[in-house]
Amino acid sequence: MRKILRTTLATVAGLTMTAVASTPVLAQADPPGQTAAPDISVDDVMGHLDRFQRIADANGGDRSSGSPGYAASADYVAESLEEAGFNVTRQTCTTCTSPDDNIIADWPGGDASSVIMLGGHLDGVRYGPGINDNGSGSAALLEVALTLAENDPATAKHVRFGWWADEERGLNGSQHYVASGAANDVEAYLNFDMVGSPNAGYFLNGSQPYTDALGAHLTESGKPPEPTQECCTDDIPFQRAGIPTAGLFTGAGATKTPAQAQKWGGTAYRPFDPCYHSSCDSYPSNINAEALDIMSDAIAVGLWELAVDDSYSPARR
Ligand code: TRP
Ligand code: CA
Ligand code: ZN
């Protein structure tokens, strides 16, 4: 189903650009020497979120570290990636508050000494299904990974994805990964923690050139990003190890200012996510589809910019 839909869209884009008005930037012909990133289907990202919600519903209402909801989430992500052709590794986090697995997925190919790694935490808090925090980043990453597998472009750099255990009790899964030495070949780490906040902000943190790669699509979409002051997420262990990072974020419990509401839309004096760390962080009510779509596409644009071989022209479909 996904393949048929995408092929149709690609064909339509080749014939008439007005037919895909929702993604004009992505649908444009490749500039010389550059391979355009594919559109990420927000419907397919939503499908993964629906699955996370049903996993929580079937497992006592949450997906927190140490819970059966976490284990089922990890199985869903790992099995989807294996089916798509990723080399999936389960790294048991022995230093986490409970021995859960980080899910690591390597896409074959690219320069193995220069890895572009993308990740986000898969666990939620104890109360609630954890849909925006962080089903959203987990689902967006999963769909970007599956789309990479479908498109199968030549990659200049090796691409790796990670879904972390036990972020909520202290960044433990990502810390374990970095401490294990497994990140020693990582050139840069890109983090996605909360990318569908209902009253969305468009936040981008990190260092160049990775921030430029992730921010390009936000600016193109009329959502020029700014850095967040909210703390903290899984980029920190990587930064402490001297690995450059960048990350996208739509905001947690902090309040949107009038200037931000002017710039991005939404409601001033209200939190970016009024259900942050609450049981109402559920699907579909606590997800902003526009923000999730823009952020998912921004991840793909960043990944293609940083890792896909610019000298390669994919076969026209
Ligand atoms: N990591 C936090 C959580 O899961 C949310 C958060 C706070 C955040 N500040 C951030 C996410 C900055 C990304 C970037 O509860
Ligand atoms: Ca999209
Ligand atoms: Zn959280």
Side-chain angles (χ1 to χ4, degrees), residues 102-141:
N102 290 325
I103 303 297
I104 309 300
D106 282 89
W107 183 243
D111 178 356
S113 68
S114 191
V115 178
I116 300 296
M117 184 165 194
L118 302 84
H121 73 91
L122 184 58
D123 66 314
V125 292
R126 178 67 187 80
Y127 297 99
I131 292 300
N132 187 35
D133 182 14
N134 184 33
S136 63
S138 297
L141 282 168

Side-chain angles (χ1 to χ4, degrees), residues 121 125 133 167-168 193-194 276-277:
H121 73 91
V125 292
D133 182 14
E167 185 267 359
E168 295 288 2
D193 181 0
M194 304 180 71
Y276 177 57
H277 285 182

Side-chain angles (χ1 to χ4, degrees), residues 38-53:
D39 174 48
I40 302 302
S41 161
V42 72
D43 287 348
D44 289 349
V45 180
M46 292 285 196
H48 304 312
L49 286 176
D50 182 56
R51 178 63 82 98
F52 289 139
Q53 179 68 52

